[in-house]
Amino acid sequence: FLLDHDRIEQLIDLGVKHLQLSIDAMEPSKVSRKAFNPMREKLAYLVEKPIWMAVHAVVMPGAVDEARQVAEACFEMDIPVGFSMVHNHGQIDPAVYEDCAAFYEWLEEQKLNGKSVDTPYSGLHFRREMLRGKSPEWTCLAGAKSFYVTTDGKFQFCHHMRSDVDLLSVRR
């Protein structure tokens, strides 16, 4: 992974104040290389730095137990964590996520109990409504508030909009 101690220090020196990391599982797999355990030491290093950091995880079909493990690992390290679901332009198939509604209820309970759930209550409610088969009135506008950097250093306005633009080539 590109994120190492030197890169973290470079980001701080450049004035980066917020960092969101995408971590979808505890261990790398064929589905996602973005895993917590290989990043654990780097996350512990980041927690001690003057930069706000959060983890965002994508709940994948059949991987709700893994998502709960990611949440619990983040809670143990006092790292805010938020979740979304794999979707197709804002649409999901509720049948694929039968076990997900209970996970979102658990997340809300954790948030109510003071855990660092970075998904707002409105987001938790929005996902529960999607799981009930209700369609959202909007979809991602890509780039309205943030950008993404892939594990191989590519810049993207949205994680759904792939790009071949190298992060280091992006200028104001």
Side-chain angles (χ1 to χ4, degrees), residues 2-66:
L2 294 174
L3 189 65
D4 58 19
H5 290 195
D6 289 338
R7 186 76 42 130
I8 291 167
E9 295 301 331
Q10 288 173 353
L11 291 170
I12 293 168
D13 290 345
L14 288 169
V16 172
K17 303 288 184 214
H18 295 83
L19 186 63
Q20 178 177 297
L21 303 172
S22 180
I23 297 177
D24 299 330
M26 292 304 289
E27 297 294 339
S29 70
K30 292 178 186 176
V31 176
S32 178
R33 297 183 315 155
K34 303 177 296 181
F36 191 91
N37 283 333
M39 293 289 295
R40 188 179 294 268
E41 183 272 330
K42 295 171 187 179
L43 293 169
Y45 185 78
L46 261 168
V47 165
E48 301 299 322
K49 296 298 171 183
I51 189 169
W52 181 88
M53 184 247 315
V55 165
H56 183 79
V58 175
V59 182
M60 296 182 221
V64 172
D65 289 340
E66 188 94 10

Side-chain angles (χ1 to χ4, degrees), residues 17-163:
K17 303 288 184 214
H18 295 83
L19 186 63
Q20 178 177 297
L21 303 172
S22 180
I23 297 177
D24 299 330
M26 292 304 289
E27 297 294 339
S29 70
K30 292 178 186 176
V31 176
S32 178
R33 297 183 315 155
K34 303 177 296 181
F36 191 91
N37 283 333
M39 293 289 295
R40 188 179 294 268
E41 183 272 330
K42 295 171 187 179
L43 293 169
Y45 185 78
L46 261 168
V47 165
E48 301 299 322
K49 296 298 171 183
I51 189 169
W52 181 88
M53 184 247 315
V55 165
H56 183 79
V58 175
V59 182
M60 296 182 221
V64 172
D65 289 340
E66 188 94 10
R68 185 183 288 238
Q69 291 173 24
V70 169
E72 289 172 341
C74 287
F75 296 157
E76 287 173 16
M77 294 180 75
D78 265 341
I79 298 171
V81 62
F83 290 87
S84 61
M85 295 176 286
V86 173
H87 63 87
N88 181 13
H89 300 284
Q91 302 297 313
I92 64 159
D93 179 357
V96 173
Y97 286 98
E98 288 181 40
D99 52 352
C100 207
F103 173 71
Y104 276 99
E105 289 170 13
W106 177 80
L107 273 179
E108 187 167 346
E109 183 179 304
Q110 298 307 302
K111 188 173 182 81
L112 287 168
N113 289 327
K115 299 292 184 185
S116 295
V117 177
D118 197 40
T119 306
Y121 289 110
S122 60
L124 296 171
H125 173 76
F126 172 77
R127 286 169 182 85
R128 279 197 313 271
E129 291 298 301
M130 286 177 69
L131 290 165
R132 292 183 181 132
K134 296 184 179 177
S135 297
E137 296 177 10
W138 55 269
T139 60
C140 177
L141 295 176
K145 297 181 182 174
S146 61
F147 64 87
Y148 296 81
V149 179
T150 64
T151 55
D152 60 348
K154 302 298 182 198
F155 173 88
Q156 297 177 186
F157 280 108
C158 174
H159 64 93
H160 295 292
M161 296 178 66
R162 302 291 177 231
S163 163

